[in-house]
Structures are given as C-alpha cells and as structure tokens.
Amino acid sequence: MLGPKARVPVDATGDFNENVPVPTGTRDVLPDELELERGVTLAILDVFAAADYREVATPSLEYQETMRLGDPRAAELAYHITDGDGRILVARFDSTIPIARMAATTLAAQQPPLRLCYVQNVLRPIEPKRGQSREFVQVGMELLGLPAPAGDAEAIELACRVVQAAGVDDFRIAVGDSSLFGRRLGELGVDARGAPTAYDAIMYELETRDLVGLGRELARAGLDDGSCRELTELAQARGGPELLDRPGAERLRELATLLDAAGVGENVIYDLGLIRSQTYYTGTVIEIYGAGLGTAIGGGGRYDDLVGRFGRDLTAFGFALNLDNVCRIRQQGSAA
Amino acid sequence: MLGPKARVPVDATGDFNENVPVPTGTRDVLPDELELERGVTLAILDVFAAADYREVATPSLEYQETMRLGDPRAAELAYHITDGDGRILVARFDSTIPIARMAATTLAAQQPPLRLCYVQNVLRPIEPKRGQSREFVQVGMELLGLPAPAGDAEAIELACRVVQAAGVDDFRIAVGDSSLFGRRLGELGVDARGAPTAYDAIMYELETRDLVGLGRELARAGLDDGSCRELTELAQARGGPELLDRPGAERLRELATLLDAAGVGENVIYDLGLIRSQTYYTGTVIEIYGAGLGTAIGGGGRYDDLVGRFGRDLTAFGFALNLDNVCRIRQQGSAA
C-alpha cells in the first residue's frame, strides 16, 4: 500500500528507532508522502484563491490566555511553554482561535466579509490511538462577517470543492446544528445553567457518540422514558433533508435549500446529533468523511461570538481539512 | 514600501494590539507577504527538485537530548516543554540536527548520497532586536554522503541557483573554513583543550565580529603583538581567491577551483574569519548576503561528525535561507 516507502517503515507512534526516538505521537514525513501532501495543498489553495480567499499565518505559539478565550478546556490540555518573562505560552492547537484574534486586531481595519485561508500545523498532546498523531497539518478557511445561512452555505459548498480538488471523490459532509440537541434537552428540563453536571455529562456522551452512555446519563438526569427515547432518537437522526421537517430544525432546513440550489445537496447528510468538541461553535457544525477511512478528514462550523471575545463583533464560519487523513485516503486509492 | 499592507501595520515585536498581543518576537503574516513567500518557496523547491533533492519534514518538537547531541548550547536556550511522561521536549530551533537524526534512523536504509530539502519554521527565544523574530521559516537542503570538496561545491552552486530563483539578483556568498582561525590560534599556543576559557572568549568575539573585543581577548590570552596582529588580520581577511595563497587555506583553495569551474566564482567572497554559532560545523561554512539588508539571508556549512552522533557515519553539508529575510529584500526591490 505504501509503495516505495515500505522500505523504510515509520511507526506513527514515533518509536521507530529505539536509540534516537522522536517524541510520542510525532513522526518524520518522507519524500513520497510529502510530495503528495504538497500537491494536495496547492490544489486546495487554488480553489480557495479562485473563491477570493487569501492566505494568512499566525504564530506557532500564543499566550495561553488568548487561546483560553476561545476554548478553555483545550488551552489547558495544550503543550505549555514558559516564556522568558514568565507568561504561559501554548503551542498552536487550533487555527480558528488565532485567526479570530487576528480578525479583531491585526486585520481590524479590513471591512467584512473577510475571506481567509491557511496551511498550518497543530499540536495536541492527546494519548495517541491507532492512526492518531499529536502533530498534523490543517488546510482551512475562515469566512468572517457573512452570517447564516448564506455564510454556512458558501463555506459548505467550498468544502465540497476543496475535497474534490484534493482528489477525494467519494465523500460526505455531515451537517448538524450544535445548539439543537442542547436546546431540546433544556426544554425537557435539563439545562446548562440549572443542572450543569448532568448537562455536561449528557453532552460528553453525545460528543463521543456513546449511545449506551447517553441513555444512562439521560436516565440519571431524571428524564422520563418518553423524553429519553426522543433524545436518543434525535442523537441518531441522520439522513436527507426530509429529516428537517421537525420543530427546532428550521435553520438547517433553510440551509438545505441553499445547498441544494448550489448543487452540493447530494454530498451532504444531515446529522441532528452532531456536535463538536470545540466549545466555540454556536450554530451549524460539519464533519467531512471520505470513503475508506473511519475517522473524519475535516470539520468546522459557525462561531458567531468568538471574534467578539477579542473585541470585534463579527459572525464567522470556518472549516479545516486534516491533510494527513486526506493523504491517507489518497494513498489507499492509489494502492487499490 | 509595504504597499497595500501599510493600511494594517504590524509591529514585528508582536505588540501591535495592546489588548490581545501575540508572544514577543512573533507576528501574524498578512496575505500580500504570504503570497510572495509562497511564490518564493515554490521557485526554490523547483530548483531543488531539478537537482534531485527531495522534500522531508521533521516533528515540530524533539527530545531535548536529541537536539543536545547537535548543539548543546542552543538546546539549552530553546523553548522547553515537559511531555506527559516527564521528558523534556524543545521546539525545533534548527532543521539540520533533526534531519541528521532522520538520516541515521528513519532513512537508515537509503544509500548515500542523500539529497534532502525542507521548508520548516524554527523558534528561537532570543531577545528580539530590530528586525529579528523568534519564529521564522527556513527553506534549506542537506547533502549527506558527498565529502568535501565536491559536496561543498555542489551545495554552494545550488545556493547560488536558489537565491537567484528566489528573485534576489544582487547577492554574495561568503565562504570560510570554520576550523581555520582556531587551528592557527592553537598553533600560536591557545588551544581549546589547554586554555578553554581564553579560547572560548576569543572565538565568541570572532563569531560576533567584534574586532575590539577580539584584540582585547587575544592580548589577555598572553599572545605577543605579532601574533595578535596576524590573527586580527586573519579575522578581517575578505576577498577573492588570491586570498587563499597562504598556509592553512588549502581546502578553500581546492573549493575555489571547483566554484570557478561551476561558473559561480563571481558570486563568492572568501572570508577567513567566518565562523558560525552552530557548534556542529567542521569545515567550510557559508553566509549569504543580499544587497540592501544588513543581516544574512541564509547560511550553512559542513558537519561531518553530526550524523555519526546518531549512529551513522556520514559526511554532510547543508544550508538554509531565512524566508522572511529573502522576502524583505524582495519587498524593498519592488518598492524601489
């Protein structure tokens, strides 16, 4: 499957050479893979450029307090560095937060909408499981100042175009509304303010897609059988736009109309239980799946109050592709 | 000078926005500059590819003990991170050491010569002076397994080609021998083993090009006036190949013949006092200067015993361009 590279096997856990290992979860990238990665990157950047998105870059390190404004939990988990003046820095674990900061500061004078894209690595000191890395490259975009549903539709259509340009022909974009499940949960009596422990436990099970755990936590929160059934069904509701004919799904229904009009409806699957681990999403969220890989090759969503935390009132939507995962699909395809 | 960017000034010290600053010595990179940077990068990579150099990438983090094998002083000064298992990591401050590690481990099965190139950022927590950054991108090459003088000549010729491809027309490559001054100093009675304190003090003044300090340290080491004069003259000896008709410069003379034959002699200036701060250089060293910028746009040299420290006996030569400095020259040129 790996062709010429099979001669020099590289263990993704970084322990290839016992004498001089690389850090856990990191790896050397060899010429064949990097050549593919560079080709894919340039193809994606061409699509972004044609859609009037311009490339920016942010520092590899940010003040922890900056990143905490965007995602307090992730800012705690990130790699920490103490700067010379004693302030805490973190290695970039996400590009959306720094670009939101940039939009509010360095780019403060630019009139919306801002169309930005980037190619940046991120570092996340997770416990590596099969195929997971602590470092990977993301190619992504941020569209700032174009509200839902038009901004969501532009971004999701662009996601389809870049995945195609990256050479992944067989893909689906799961589209959900990160506020939908929580809102219904609140209506049924478990809201984030009144019962934060139960709420967080339920949302954690939803995020990790553990249906058994979800059922357990819903019952533990005191919900009656009917409500438990309704929410468990909601968590599993995946399908075409016919799924959106229910109370609470009005925003997604509006978006579906735009996506159909843009001609990308057949690449989209609606997923009413979809939420994402990043805490800054406020509306539509997406995950991108390619055939043959059990994990997402990308994701993103709407974050309408993040830029505001840095001092500028600006709605926003962004997504990123995990370039390593895209290349894994391409390598499988060329070996088939 | 900066054209459209003048609308959004960015302070290189990172304190553009007082409310949400970026870390000292880092900065956001805006679209106009990044567009130039990407064009320059691709032009350089084309030259590398045509010369049969293939791109590799190494992790952003390395174990400190790995980097210490290459440059103990720099590994102390680097940004430190404690990994989950308590081991000390450092942010990449140099790409030559990781690629030497890679050549001895991940690429152990590849027969020499290995021709590798890279585009990687580095982080160095220096005290930022005017125009200096703590983070910058390097585009570079490593040629492993082709000894001096042929390897030196191939690399220096390639350096000329990539600087031209980068759009810097008016440039000079200073070529020296990092062992020359120290060897003569030893012959005159101050050697690294017998008088390490005096030796280090003298070499520090040489490295920082402080002639007053150099004279002071030479006298303090007890050298007579004639020796002081000779060494001070050696430290300042810069010019054409006629400079190489002296004892000790035999290796550079041999190299000069090859560079003339390759047709790049007129881009080279010999500099007998040139040494570099990296401690792994063993022979020829180079620095690349472009007209209009007071600081080097690149540098490199021969490091014949570095790969051996990782377990593989392999001579090597490498250089890197500082992409930020190259782009600064290009921006000056387009504003002229």
Side-chain angles (χ1 to χ4, degrees):
Chain A
M1 173 184 124
L2 288 169
K5 287 199 303 180
R7 210 155 53 94
V8 188
V10 179
D11 181 342
T13 64
D15 289 326
F16 165 73
N17 186 300
E18 287 172 18
N19 299 318
V20 196
V22 296
T24 308
T26 72
R27 66 194 180 103
D28 292 327
V29 186
L30 299 182
D32 286 351
E33 182 175 349
L34 211 52
E35 191 175 308
L36 174 62
E37 190 179 305
R38 192 162 282 282
V40 167
T41 302
L42 293 177
I44 294 173
L45 287 178
D46 279 348
V47 174
F48 281 144
D52 215 22
Y53 283 73
R54 299 206 66 201
E55 194 179 351
V56 293
T58 69
S60 290
L61 307 174
E62 294 272 353
Y63 285 120
Q64 188 186 27
E65 60 202 83
T66 299
M67 297 303 279
R68 205 183 266 146
L69 280 175
D71 194 331
R73 184 173 58 175
E76 278 317 309
L77 295 173
Y79 285 109
H80 286 43
I81 295 169
T82 306
D83 207 353
D85 57 9
R87 294 183 71 175
I88 308 289
L89 309 176
V90 294
R92 182 177 54 225
F93 57 81
D94 169 286
S95 286
T96 297
I97 303 168
I99 292 178
R101 171 193 58 66
M102 193 177 180
T105 58
T106 317
L107 299 174
Q110 285 207 0
Q111 292 306 307
L114 278 67
R115 291 184 167 85
L116 306 173
C117 62
Y118 60 89
V119 183
Q120 296 199 143
N121 72 327
V122 290
L123 287 162
R124 296 177 183 171
I126 48 147
E127 279 314 307
K129 296 174 206 155
R130 176 176 283 275
Q132 278 189 313
S133 298
R134 290 187 172 188
E135 174 170 27
F136 54 92
V137 178
Q138 290 185 317
V139 189
M141 60 75 84
E142 313 290 343
L143 169 56
L144 304 116
L146 191 64
D152 301 25
E154 175 175 325
I156 293 170
E157 185 188 345
L158 195 54
C160 291
R161 305 284 172 243
V162 298
V163 172
Q164 283 162 339
V168 178
D169 301 318
D170 192 4
F171 70 95
R172 287 292 175 284
I173 300 190
V175 176
D177 178 341
S178 62
S179 67
L180 200 155
F181 187 97
R183 211 165 51 228
R184 185 63 188 139
L185 185 60
E187 289 167 3
L188 292 170
V190 183
D191 67 50
R193 289 196 185 167
T197 309
Y199 182 89
D200 287 348
I202 291 167
M203 296 309 272
Y204 175 79
E205 303 298 339
L206 180 65
E207 181 197 319
T208 55
R209 298 276 175 156
D210 182 341
L211 286 173
V212 176
L214 180 65
R216 185 189 62 231
E217 294 301 332
L218 288 170
R220 187 176 289 172
L223 289 168
D224 61 44
D225 282 359
S227 300
C228 286
R229 255 198 313 276
E230 181 196 331
L231 288 167
T232 309
E233 188 272 333
L234 186 62
Q236 298 175 78
R238 292 169 61 100
E242 70 283 356
L243 208 65
L244 308 176
D245 292 325
R246 63 173 76 197
E250 294 78 11
R251 298 200 298 193
L252 286 177
R253 206 153 58 224
E254 223 179 339
L255 175 59
T257 307
L258 295 177
L259 293 176
D260 284 340
V264 297
E266 65 184 25
N267 291 112
V268 169
I269 182 165
Y270 296 92
D271 181 343
L272 303 188
L274 179 63
I275 61 171
R276 286 175 61 74
S277 63
Q278 291 85 349
T279 55
Y280 47 70
Y281 290 122
T282 55
T284 301
V285 284
I286 67 172
E287 277 188 354
I288 308 171
Y289 290 90
L293 197 71
T295 183
I297 59 171
R302 176 157 292 283
Y303 52 96
D304 281 349
D305 67 13
L306 177 55
V307 189
R309 296 179 215 167
F310 298 113
R312 185 179 185 185
D313 190 25
L314 207 59
T315 64
F317 192 109
F319 72 81
L321 296 186
N322 177 321
L323 203 52
D324 295 11
N325 286 348
V326 170
C327 289
R328 220 169 288 167
I329 288 185
R330 287 287 306 269
Q331 286 167 330
Q332 289 175 359
S334 62
Chain B
M1 174 184 123
L2 289 168
K5 288 199 304 181
R7 210 155 52 94
V8 188
V10 179
D11 181 343
T13 63
D15 289 326
F16 166 73
N17 187 300
E18 289 171 16
N19 299 318
V20 196
V22 296
T24 308
T26 72
R27 66 193 181 102
D28 292 328
V29 186
L30 299 182
D32 286 350
E33 180 175 349
L34 211 52
E35 191 175 308
L36 174 61
E37 188 179 306
R38 191 161 282 282
V40 167
T41 302
L42 293 177
I44 294 173
L45 287 177
D46 279 349
V47 174
F48 281 144
D52 216 21
Y53 284 72
R54 299 206 67 200
E55 192 178 351
V56 293
T58 69
S60 290
L61 307 175
E62 295 271 352
Y63 286 120
Q64 188 186 28
E65 59 202 86
T66 299
M67 298 303 278
R68 208 183 263 144
L69 280 175
D71 194 330
R73 185 173 56 175
E76 278 318 308
L77 294 174
Y79 285 109
H80 286 44
I81 294 170
T82 305
D83 207 354
D85 57 8
R87 294 182 71 175
I88 307 290
L89 310 175
V90 294
R92 182 176 54 224
F93 57 82
D94 169 288
S95 286
T96 297
I97 303 168
I99 291 178
R101 170 192 58 66
M102 193 177 179
T105 58
T106 317
L107 298 175
Q110 285 208 0
Q111 292 306 307
L114 278 67
R115 291 185 167 85
L116 306 172
C117 62
Y118 60 90
V119 183
Q120 296 199 142
N121 72 327
V122 289
L123 287 162
R124 297 176 182 170
I126 49 147
E127 278 314 306
K129 296 174 206 154
R130 175 177 282 276
Q132 279 190 313
S133 298
R134 291 188 172 187
E135 173 170 28
F136 53 91
V137 178
Q138 290 185 316
V139 188
M141 60 75 84
E142 314 290 344
L143 169 56
L144 304 116
L146 191 64
D152 301 26
E154 175 174 326
I156 294 170
E157 185 188 343
L158 196 55
C160 290
R161 306 281 172 245
V162 298
V163 172
Q164 284 162 339
V168 178
D169 301 317
D170 191 3
F171 69 96
R172 287 291 175 284
I173 301 191
V175 176
D177 177 341
S178 63
S179 66
L180 201 154
F181 187 98
R183 212 165 50 228
R184 185 63 189 139
L185 184 61
E187 288 167 3
L188 292 171
V190 182
D191 66 49
R193 289 196 186 167
T197 309
Y199 183 89
D200 286 349
I202 291 167
M203 297 308 273
Y204 175 78
E205 302 298 339
L206 180 65
E207 180 197 319
T208 55
R209 298 277 173 156
D210 182 341
L211 286 173
V212 176
L214 181 64
R216 185 188 62 232
E217 294 302 332
L218 288 170
R220 187 176 287 173
L223 289 169
D224 61 44
D225 282 1
S227 300
C228 286
R229 256 198 311 276
E230 181 195 331
L231 288 167
T232 309
E233 189 271 334
L234 186 62
Q236 298 175 78
R238 292 169 60 101
E242 70 283 355
L243 207 67
L244 308 177
D245 291 327
R246 64 171 78 197
E250 294 79 10
R251 297 200 299 195
L252 286 177
R253 206 151 60 224
E254 225 181 336
L255 175 58
T257 307
L258 295 177
L259 293 176
D260 284 341
V264 296
E266 65 184 24
N267 291 113
V268 169
I269 183 165
Y270 296 93
D271 181 344
L272 303 188
L274 180 64
I275 61 172
R276 286 174 62 75
S277 63
Q278 291 85 350
T279 55
Y280 47 70
Y281 290 122
T282 55
T284 301
V285 284
I286 67 172
E287 277 188 353
I288 308 171
Y289 290 90
L293 198 71
T295 184
I297 59 172
R302 175 158 292 281
Y303 52 96
D304 281 349
D305 67 12
L306 177 55
V307 190
R309 296 178 216 168
F310 298 113
R312 185 180 186 185
D313 189 24
L314 208 57
T315 64
F317 192 108
F319 72 81
L321 296 185
N322 177 320
L323 203 52
D324 295 10
N325 286 348
V326 170
C327 289
R328 221 169 287 167
I329 288 185
R330 287 287 305 269
Q331 288 168 328
Q332 288 174 0
S334 62

